Amino acid sequence: MMSNLVYLNGEYMPLQQACVPVLDRGFMFGDGVYEVMPVYSGFPFAVSQHMARLQRSLDAIQISNPLSNAQWDEIFSRLIDQNYPGQDCAVYLQVTRGVMEKRDHVFRHDLQPTVLVMTQAAHYPSQSRDTQGIRVITQEDTRWQECHIKSINLLPNALLKQYAVEHDAEETILIRDGLAIEGSASNLFIVKDDLIRTPPVQRCMLGGITREVILGLCQQHKVVAREIDITEDELHDADEIWLTSSTREISPVTTLNQHKVGNGEVGPKWHQVIELYQDYKQQVMRGGNDTV
Ligand SMILES: Cc1ncc(COP(=O)(O)O)c(C=O)c1O
């Protein structure tokens, strides 16, 4: 089997050879940001939105973008063509602030950022999937206030996800001040009386690209969807709940804290919206515009 090629700081190399110094601020402090982008049949999905969010994350932590969009694109293409030619996969990229001479919370502005890009296998759900829906639970949101930044510092998210898995669930929906914000690695939608709702973009939530694509598609196809707060009570009273992310796409939730969501079956609005999403993916794979 061909080795898994990765990009690290200007060079391409097998994954096993990719190393960073221990004084890299990513290793010492989780001082960096990342992106995960789906790739369908060799075509990266929603690249411009992912690159715009990367820029917002970098700006928020005062790291200058070390590469131009054309350079990023070239790296994505080379890795996809080498590792998963014409196939589905996911691109992972991470930028850390770089390596210091000694461990120090205070950073300098002249460090050379560390850039890692790799691809990994991804198994996206097919259209006939998700007929059962997934089980989720709720927990208080223990993360920091700045979750709009896609930080590599994911310890709270990892602990909250682990909690779900150890309690017979797949994902944890996070509650902050009585509001349902998002999942530990996904955004939240509910349906009540035929109205699709998702919390508005806010500092304590990651503005997901999948969420953005879904809202764009709803607008384009005149499916009413509103960005409004969802209380914990409204979450429990929802007819449908969905969790969205680049790798899970749109997962229908049929069990919340061991209780059925709605009638316990995957709902009609999910069927309507997943069809729009799948059609849009096909369009992107045929080389159409990837911006909704
Ligand atoms: C906390 C959090 N919210 C939402 C999302 C969904 O974002 P996207 O749709 O861009 O994958 C993720 C994805 O990893 C996430 O970690």
Side-chain angles (χ1 to χ4, degrees):
M1 198 182 125
M2 290 262 264
S3 65
N4 187 354
L5 199 72
V6 305
Y7 171 97
L8 180 65
N9 294 334
E11 287 178 46
Y12 292 89
M13 62 193 77
L15 176 63
Q16 293 72 13
Q17 282 171 26
C19 295
V20 289
V22 291
L23 285 178
D24 190 285
R25 291 186 62 96
F27 185 62
M28 282 289 136
F29 297 110
D31 185 353
V33 296
Y34 76 108
E35 280 296 323
V36 177
M37 207 166 40
V39 176
Y40 299 118
S41 306
F43 292 99
F45 183 75
V47 186
S48 48
Q49 286 107 313
H50 281 278
M51 288 296 103
R53 183 173 63 187
L54 172 66
Q55 190 61 56
R56 291 196 296 277
S57 295
L58 288 168
D59 290 346
I61 67 166
Q62 303 174 52
I63 295 179
S64 1
N65 194 334
L67 300 171
S68 67
N69 279 352
Q71 287 172 313
W72 283 114
D73 278 344
E74 196 188 314
I75 299 166
F76 303 153
S77 301
R78 174 135 176 217
L79 293 182
I80 294 164
D81 290 350
Q82 168 78 32
N83 296 330
Y84 294 94
Q87 296 164 47
D88 290 354
C89 66
V91 167
Y92 175 89
L93 72 87
Q94 131 170 357
V95 180
T96 77
R97 198 177 302 278
V99 184
M100 302 251 295
E101 307 72 43
K102 65 178 177 63
R103 186 180 177 278
D104 187 351
H105 286 65
V106 179
F107 55 83
R108 294 202 323 265
H109 288 280
D110 62 349
L111 297 177
Q112 183 61 40
T114 299
V115 179
L116 170 71
V117 188
M118 58 188 185
T119 52
Q120 51 196 38
H123 303 286
Y124 298 103
S126 63
Q127 191 141 13
S128 59
R129 75 310 169 61
D130 294 339
T131 47
Q132 302 297 308
I134 61 167
R135 304 165 68 83
V136 307
I137 52 174
T138 55
Q139 278 288 289
E140 273 301 306
D141 193 347
T142 51
R143 303 171 304 162
W144 69 334
Q145 311 273 352
E146 306 285 347
C147 296
H148 61 110
I149 302 169
K150 201 164 167 61
S151 159
I152 58 170
N153 200 326
L154 289 172
L155 180 58
N157 305 62
L159 292 173
L160 289 159
K161 177 84 162 214
Q162 184 75 14
Y163 182 88
V165 171
E166 289 177 2
H167 290 80
D168 190 27
E170 199 175 299
E171 178 56 310
T172 305
I173 295 178
L174 308 176
I175 309 293
R176 193 184 282 244
D177 300 329
L179 298 179
I181 305 291
E182 63 178 335
S184 76
S186 52
N187 285 118
L188 170 69
F189 285 76
I190 66 165
V191 179
K192 184 65 185 173
D193 299 331
D194 278 341
L195 178 66
I196 299 172
R197 296 170 51 173
T198 188
V201 171
Q202 49 200 296
R203 281 188 92 80
C204 65
M205 176 191 115
L206 183 75
I209 305 304
T210 319
R211 171 189 179 281
E212 227 176 86
V213 169
I214 293 166
L215 288 175
L217 288 171
C218 285
Q219 195 175 25
Q220 199 174 314
H221 294 272
K222 305 209 175 350
V223 178
V224 183
R226 295 260 153 76
E227 292 177 82
I228 30 178
D229 285 339
I230 298 169
T231 66
E232 191 173 4
D233 288 345
E234 287 170 331
L235 177 72
H236 288 280
D237 196 35
D239 299 329
E240 296 184 33
I241 300 175
W242 317 333
L243 290 175
T244 69
S245 80
S246 295
T247 46
R248 69 167 62 249
E249 299 182 342
I250 314 175
S251 296
V253 175
T254 44
T255 306
L256 174 70
N257 293 346
Q258 272 131 36
H259 298 287
K260 280 183 191 171
V261 175
N263 64 8
E265 302 202 341
V266 175
K269 278 283 171 198
W270 179 82
H271 283 284
Q272 184 183 5
V273 171
I274 196 70
E275 202 163 313
L276 297 178
Y277 197 82
Q278 296 293 348
D279 285 351
Y280 179 62
K281 268 171 59 179
Q282 294 298 327
Q283 211 174 300
V284 171
M285 281 185 264
R286 285 194 303 268
N289 189 345
D290 81 343
T291 309
V292 238

